[in-house]
Amino acid sequence: MTSPLISASDLINALTSHEQDWLVIDCRFNLGNTLAGEQAHAQGHIAGALYAHLDRDLSGAKTGRNGRHPLPTPEAFEQTMRAWGITAATRVVAYDDAGGMFAARLWWLLRFHGFDQVQVLDGGWQAWQAAQGPVDTVSAPRQPSSFKAQVQHAWLVGADDVLAHLTRPDQQVLIDARAADRFRGENETMDPVGGHIPGARNRFFQLNLQANGQFKPAKQLREEFQTLIDQAPLQAIVHQCGSGVTACHNLLAMNHAGLPDTRLYAGSWSEWCSEPSRPVAR
C-alpha cells in the first residue's frame, strides 16, 4: 500500500530521477477568497504542477441541500482524472499551504475512485520552499488518458444512513473534524445553523499536525485515535466535518497511523443542518 505522505526531499529526488510518471497537483485554496489559491499557483508552484480548484475540480454542483462542497459525480471526476493524464503508471502528489487541509480531499477522492498511487506532500508548500525545491510558473502539458474509475461505494454514507444509525453506536461512531467551538455550536460563520450531529465525537483536524505543519508520527496518531475511538469497532467509524473536506484529513491521519480505511459522510454538517427536521446537539 502506498504511504499517504511523502517528504519534500523524497519528492525532489523522485522528480529529478525521471524514473516514473509523477504528477504533482497544487490544491491551495482559501475558503474566504476562492480565487486566492489559483492566483498563488500562477505566481509560483512546484515545478510542473497542475492546479486543482476545490469548487471546480474537487466538488460537484450545489443544490442548497447537499452541502457546501458536495462530491463530484463519478463521471465528472473520471473526466477530470483523464484530463490530468492519470494512468495506472502515474504517481500523484497533492499539496497545499494549509497543512494538507485541501490536499487530503484530493488524496481521498482519487482513492475513492480506485486510484491508490497518491500521496500528500508532508508540510506542503512551506516544506517545499524550505527544502529549496524547484519552483515554476508554468505547468507541464499532460497527454489525456482513458482512466476508468472504480468507485469504492462502501467508503461513503449519506444523510439518511447517518440519521438511521444515530442511536446505534455499535454501527456508527461519528468523528467531526471541525474546531471545538464550531462543534459546540459557537462562533459558527460557515453554516446557517450551529451545533453538531448528536452523538458525534470531536477531533479537530489540526490536531493531526506538529507545530511545523507536518503530520505527527504514526505511533502518536494511532494512540490518539485509539483513545478517541475507545472501544468502538473501527467499521463503525464515520468521518464528517463542515462540508466533507477536513474530514478527509482525519481519514488520511488514520491511514498514516496504520489504521484501516473508514467511511465518510461527505455532505457533513452543511448538508445535515439544511434539513430542519434533523436533530442538532449543542
Side-chain angles (χ1 to χ4, degrees):
M1 184 177 69
T2 303
S3 167
L5 299 173
I6 186 171
S7 68
S9 58
D10 283 349
L11 181 57
I12 290 171
N13 291 336
L15 295 179
T16 53
S17 71
H18 302 290
E19 291 178 357
Q20 262 190 298
D21 176 33
W22 287 83
L23 171 60
V24 180
I25 300 184
D26 183 348
C27 300
R28 283 179 287 176
F29 194 77
N30 186 315
L31 293 171
N33 176 4
T34 59
L35 299 177
E38 203 161 21
Q39 291 169 346
H41 177 80
Q43 293 166 4
H45 52 257
I46 293 178
L50 304 183
Y51 182 73
H53 192 282
L54 176 63
D55 291 339
R56 290 198 309 267
D57 302 311
L58 309 183
S59 302
K62 291 184 283 188
T63 65
R65 289 297 183 93
N66 62 349
R68 286 183 281 108
H69 296 107
L71 295 183
T73 65
E75 296 77 17
F77 194 68
E78 182 181 73
Q79 288 302 315
T80 299
M81 295 172 75
R82 291 177 175 181
W84 287 340
I86 291 177
T87 71
T90 306
R91 290 286 299 274
V92 176
V93 175
Y95 78 94
D96 58 33
D97 58 1
M101 175 178 177
F102 304 108
R105 166 80 163 209
L106 177 57
W107 172 85
W108 185 88
L109 270 174
L110 286 170
R111 295 178 73 244
F112 177 65
H113 288 84
F115 183 81
D116 291 327
Q117 296 183 126
V118 54
Q119 296 172 289
V120 167
L121 176 60
D122 197 13
W125 177 240
Q126 295 90 334
W128 187 257
Q129 290 182 305
Q132 298 183 323
V135 173
D136 209 337
T137 57
V138 297
S139 297
R142 299 278 301 178
Q143 183 70 30
S145 73
S146 56
F147 187 87
K148 181 65 177 174
Q150 294 180 323
V151 180
Q152 311 299 305
H153 295 287
W155 290 9
L156 200 61
V157 300
D160 290 342
D161 283 327
V162 173
L163 183 62
H165 292 90
L166 281 185
T167 58
R168 297 296 306 272
D170 59 320
Q171 297 181 14
Q172 176 177 275
V173 175
L174 294 165
I175 297 179
D176 189 327
R178 293 177 299 163
D181 57 343
R182 290 185 64 209
F183 178 79
R184 293 192 299 266
E186 304 164 2
N187 306 317
E188 181 55 68
T189 59
M190 302 297 293
D191 296 304
V193 179
H196 61 266
I197 301 173
R201 305 177 188 186
N202 189 213
R203 168 75 183 185
F204 186 29
F205 78 95
Q206 289 190 7
L207 293 174
N208 300 324
L209 303 173
Q210 304 175 82
N212 63 1
Q214 296 179 10
F215 278 77
K216 292 176 178 176
K219 182 176 183 293
Q220 182 179 352
L221 284 171
R222 187 180 183 92
E223 291 171 352
E224 291 178 8
F225 273 100
Q226 287 179 328
T227 298
L228 175 69
I229 294 165
D230 196 18
Q231 300 301 314
L234 283 168
Q235 63 267 26
I237 302 301
V238 174
H239 294 270
Q240 48 100 184
C241 54
S243 66
V245 176
T246 58
C248 296
H249 201 278
N250 278 345
L251 280 155
L252 188 152
M254 285 187 66
N255 186 290
H256 174 50
L259 295 167
D261 288 316
T262 45
R263 295 173 294 164
L264 173 69
Y265 168 35
S268 288
W269 179 250
S270 56
E271 178 185 56
W272 185 265
C273 72
S274 70
E275 173 49 64
S277 68
R278 294 185 187 125
V280 172
R282 296 185 179 89

